């Protein structure tokens, strides 16, 4: 298995800085509407963003010629004696997607968290979304040790196209990404350098085009979700962790290794 190199795209010119004004918070709300297609009940409102800042969190925005084209919302989290960051949401405007804005936001988030003495940021993403898996694992260097079954409840569909297709009975399974900010792997990716992962002990394949499958054949899509769920839970229970993703045209797959 060759080493995975952090992919680099031509990055758009943006200024990354903290969102602070009422107008900028409101721009975050409008970006949620346009990117996620969420009803207002599911949108993080201005009040939430402001209160989060008072509780130790913050929102970083990506600005292009004064326009907010992306943001990441970071919460202060605690579990036992551990203080860490929780990345609640990231959104990038449609005309700035695939231009490196998401990566710039995440690396700025890492630097801000490190400056506050944090070593870990967590967030969730959908297991069957290969594009997100590639970004999180191959570009950022997260590790996956947790799988959450039906995390937000059944039929929590945020994609308006999939929602319009009428797929129902789909559980909102999520993977927990653990971004270990000082790990050698993350440090290498932050510097734009490859990191040798070695040959995986196990792999879990996912559908190449899950979104299209969900729209065209929801029953098969749900069966695939259950298969991936069972295989993930078994792999994690056996002591394996996921550290990489094979971006194959027909057979994309998660790569599993022994935990260090």
């Amino acid at each position: 298995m060759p080493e995975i190199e952090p992919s680099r795209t031509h990055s758009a010119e943006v200024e990354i800085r903290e969102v602070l004004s009422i107008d900028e918070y409101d721009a975050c709300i409008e970006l949620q509407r346009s990117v996620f297609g969420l009803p207002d009940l599911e949108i993080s409102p201005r009040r939430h963003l402001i209160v989060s800042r008072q509780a130790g969190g913050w929102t970083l925005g990506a600005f292009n010629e004064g326009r907010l084209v992306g943001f990441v919302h970071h919460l202060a989290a605690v579990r036992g004696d551990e203080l860490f960051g929780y990345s609640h949401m990231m959104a990038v405007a449609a005309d700035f997607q695939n231009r490196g804005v998401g990566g710039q936001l995440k690396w700025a988030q890492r630097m801000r968290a490190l400056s506050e003495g944090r070593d870990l940021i967590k967030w969730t993403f959908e297991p069957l979304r290969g594009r997100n898996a590639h970004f999180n694992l191959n570009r950022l260097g997260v590790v996956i040790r947790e799988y959450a079954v039906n995390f937000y409840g059944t039929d929590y569909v945020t994609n308006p196209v999939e929602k319009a297709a009428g797929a129902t009975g789909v559980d909102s399974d999520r993977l927990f990404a653990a971004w270990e900010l000082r790990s050698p792997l993350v440090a290498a990716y932050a510097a734009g350098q490859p990191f040798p992962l070695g040959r995986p002990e196990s792999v879990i394949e996912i559908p190449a085009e899950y979104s299209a499958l969900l729209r065209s054949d929801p029953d098969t899509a749900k069966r695939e979700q259950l298969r991936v769920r069972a295989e993930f839970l078994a792999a994690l229970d056996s002591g394996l962790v996921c550290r990489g993703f094979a971006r194959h045209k027909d057979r994309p797959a998660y790569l599993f290794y022994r935990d260090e």
Side-chain angles (χ1 to χ4, degrees):
M1 177 66 62
E3 62 189 16
I4 293 176
E5 296 189 14
S7 61
R8 298 289 176 186
T9 58
H10 177 68
S11 295
E13 292 188 6
V14 293
E15 175 194 7
I16 307 294
R17 59 175 173 81
E18 187 172 357
V19 171
L20 293 172
S21 73
I22 296 299
D23 288 344
E24 290 170 355
Y25 283 125
D26 286 346
C28 292
I29 295 167
E30 291 306 315
L31 201 55
Q32 290 178 66
R33 286 196 179 104
S34 64
V35 172
F36 300 128
L38 292 170
D40 280 358
L41 182 65
E42 296 290 346
I43 285 177
S44 290
R46 179 205 302 165
R47 181 175 180 177
H48 177 216
L49 302 180
I50 293 173
V51 169
S52 294
R53 184 170 187 268
Q54 294 303 309
W58 26 267
T59 302
L60 296 181
F63 295 86
N64 176 266
E65 298 181 353
R67 172 195 167 201
L68 181 82
V69 298
F71 75 90
V72 60
H73 181 215
H74 178 102
L75 301 173
V78 60
R79 179 170 294 172
D81 294 329
E82 181 185 21
L83 295 176
F84 60 97
Y86 191 93
S87 193
H88 172 52
M89 180 186 305
M90 185 171 76
V92 176
D95 57 330
F96 275 79
Q97 291 178 9
N98 301 314
R99 296 176 62 184
V101 175
Q104 291 183 68
L105 282 166
K106 294 303 289 185
W107 291 118
Q109 183 185 20
R110 174 180 181 261
M111 292 304 296
R112 172 69 177 263
L114 286 172
S115 74
E116 295 178 345
R118 306 293 173 251
D119 298 318
L120 175 69
I121 301 175
K122 284 186 160 187
W123 63 86
T124 65
F125 67 97
E126 296 182 57
L128 279 77
R129 309 288 181 175
R131 180 179 171 184
N132 288 347
H134 168 69
F135 177 75
N136 289 318
L137 288 156
N138 297 346
R139 291 191 62 192
L140 300 181
V142 308
V143 59
I144 298 168
R145 295 188 176 90
E146 299 176 70
Y147 187 106
V149 175
N150 203 19
F151 191 57
Y152 293 112
T154 303
D155 291 335
Y156 183 82
V157 180
T158 59
N159 185 312
V161 176
E162 294 170 1
K163 187 180 298 185
T168 59
V170 181
D171 288 345
S172 58
D173 288 14
R174 293 293 188 270
L175 297 174
F176 266 96
W179 205 16
E180 298 167 350
L181 305 181
R182 300 181 191 275
S183 74
L185 186 152
V186 174
Y189 286 5
Q193 299 172 351
F195 189 91
L197 290 177
R199 184 174 296 277
E201 289 203 19
S202 182
V203 302
I204 294 178
E205 294 184 9
I206 64 171
E209 297 291 342
Y210 177 70
S211 182
L213 182 63
L214 193 61
R215 298 194 301 270
S216 65
D217 190 350
D219 288 339
T220 297
K222 285 185 281 188
R223 286 195 297 271
E224 283 293 280
Q225 182 193 53
L226 294 176
R227 174 187 63 79
V228 171
R229 175 196 291 178
E231 293 181 10
F232 243 101
L233 291 173
L236 297 177
D237 189 57
S238 72
L240 297 176
V241 299
C242 180
R243 292 189 181 276
F245 185 75
R247 209 179 181 195
H248 191 277
K249 178 178 179 293
D250 300 314
R251 301 173 62 187
Y254 288 96
L255 310 179
F256 287 81
Y257 302 83
R258 283 288 155 196
D259 202 3
E260 298 174 354

